[in-house]
Amino acid sequence: MGSQMDSRTNLDIANLTSKIARDAQKDSSSMITIAAVTMVFLPGTFISAVFSMAFFNTGMDDNGKATLEVSPLVWYFPAVTVPLTVLVLGVWEFWRRKRQAKIMPAANQPRDKEGSN
């Protein structure tokens, strides 16, 4: 009777350990995704800094007051940035769901009597 309880306890511990490992894998996947999205937007951030120089001009008028001139092409920035951001987030969500679908079936596979897959 005691060995059955020990076996049951060991099985419960193994199941909990497996659940913790799956949760850790999900967290790891999220961190990788955040890093990837950051790396995707890093060049765009640099380019937007360069664009800002072309879209806004500062200077002084004849009276000595500071002026800010906005280029009529300033609409290019949101016209490119918003669709690109939506596209990247959409690709990320697709990738995340695809990866999650791979993880979950493996985690839900029934075990045979010996406890192995």
Side-chain angles (χ1 to χ4, degrees):
M1 185 72 157
S3 66
Q4 285 181 344
M5 287 180 59
D6 288 344
S7 294
R8 182 65 184 160
T9 300
N10 287 337
L11 186 59
D12 289 343
I13 290 170
N15 287 335
L16 287 172
T17 302
S18 177
K19 182 182 181 318
I20 290 169
R22 282 192 306 273
D23 290 345
Q25 173 67 30
K26 289 178 192 176
D27 287 345
S28 176
S29 295
S30 295
M31 294 306 295
I32 289 169
T33 301
I34 289 169
V37 169
T38 300
M39 295 309 288
V40 167
F41 280 104
L42 196 56
T45 302
F46 172 74
I47 296 300
S48 70
V50 172
F51 277 170
S52 70
M53 292 177 210
F55 292 140
F56 301 100
N57 294 319
T58 58
M60 301 292 240
D61 65 8
D62 294 337
N63 297 329
K65 286 186 163 184
T67 61
L68 175 66
E69 296 176 21
V70 179
S71 170
L73 302 178
V74 74
W75 65 271
Y76 281 3
F77 182 73
V80 172
T81 303
V82 171
L84 180 61
T85 302
V86 170
L87 175 70
V88 169
L89 292 175
V91 168
W92 169 74
E93 181 64 19
F94 172 77
W95 178 79
R96 189 186 67 79
R97 288 183 185 195
K98 187 175 179 182
R99 184 167 169 83
Q100 191 68 24
K102 282 184 182 179
I103 292 170
M104 293 311 288
N108 293 331
Q109 286 181 355
R111 296 179 179 260
D112 62 15
K113 291 180 184 178
E114 297 167 4
S116 62
N117 285 337

